[in-house]
Amino acid sequence: EDFQVEQSQQARTFILGAGGSILEWLVTPVASKIRELLPHTALRLSSSRSRELVENIRDGRLDFAIVREDAIPAGGLRLPLLRLQFHLCIPRVLLGASPRAATDPATWKKLPFVAHAVSGQLDTTFRTAMTKACGSFKPLFECDSLLQARELIVQGTCAGLLPSIGTRELEARDVIVREFAPL
């Protein structure tokens, strides 16, 4: 199909897959620059979980995918884009008059938290880290995506863990953002 498109001098379409939050926070802000680097092409964005993205690359249904490094099979071609750090994000409204409590795991135990409802590797890592830090971890909200979790944090409904690329502008929205050392 690619050969036929090239021979008929039609614009080629590249399909880029990633998780929904990665597409939102990392890809769409630079989509026009990607387009400039790939003139005479179209770009299709596809949202899936890491396992599906790796399978779609292997089967030729995707041209590129952005996944966690540990999702790539041994010997698979990889090009590191960025190293994510994770941050504990706590709306100030949940801390009342004591914003310093944002660094105290004893305070975290009392906060409503959001976590992923989907039991993937990232969610397991989050829950394990929070359990280690707090002794136990029972989120009051569970979401299918980091975008949903971020929105609940922005609304002041709950606290949560987000990757550094998802924390832009949160402090301007009265959210305390602290690097989360256990991850």
Side-chain angles (χ1 to χ4, degrees):
E1 185 178 312
D2 288 341
F3 178 75
Q4 289 175 343
V5 166
E6 188 174 315
Q7 293 305 306
S8 65
Q9 298 180 341
Q10 295 177 22
R12 173 135 192 236
T13 298
F14 286 105
I15 306 171
L16 170 64
S21 57
I22 292 295
L23 289 174
E24 177 86 18
W25 295 330
L26 185 63
V27 178
T28 56
V30 297
S32 63
K33 291 179 182 168
I34 294 171
R35 186 69 184 88
E36 288 173 16
L37 294 170
L38 300 170
H40 310 296
T41 61
L43 184 62
R44 182 183 310 152
L45 304 178
S46 176
S47 177
S48 290
R49 296 181 48 95
S50 295
R51 185 177 311 143
E52 294 170 32
L53 293 167
V54 170
E55 289 173 11
N56 289 342
I57 284 285
R58 185 179 48 237
D59 296 343
R61 291 178 277 174
L62 288 176
D63 296 299
F64 306 99
I66 301 173
V67 296
R68 294 180 326 275
E69 187 173 7
D70 60 2
I72 302 170
L77 181 61
R78 63 189 78 213
L79 175 64
L81 292 177
L82 71 131
R83 183 165 200 78
L84 292 179
Q85 294 179 325
F86 290 87
H87 292 81
L88 178 62
C89 303
I90 305 174
R92 288 182 191 276
V93 68
L94 296 179
L95 296 172
S98 181
R100 287 189 177 147
T103 60
D104 181 13
T107 300
W108 303 345
K109 289 180 187 181
K110 301 171 190 169
L111 295 175
F113 267 87
V114 62
H116 290 97
V118 183
S119 59
Q121 184 175 0
L122 185 62
D123 177 55
T124 301
T125 302
F126 281 177
R127 288 174 190 256
T128 301
M130 288 303 298
T131 300
K132 191 180 292 186
C134 298
S136 66
F137 181 67
K138 300 212 184 299
L140 293 183
F141 297 91
E142 293 183 327
C143 299
D144 290 337
S145 80
L146 289 172
L147 297 171
Q148 295 165 347
R150 184 182 189 279
E151 184 59 30
L152 287 169
I153 293 166
V154 167
Q155 290 175 9
T157 305
C158 56
L161 295 173
L162 293 175
S164 50
I165 60 172
T167 61
R168 295 180 191 135
E169 303 170 8
L170 282 184
E171 289 181 344
R173 294 178 159 207
D174 277 340
V175 176
I176 296 172
V177 178
R178 301 282 184 258
E179 187 173 336
F180 191 70
L183 287 178

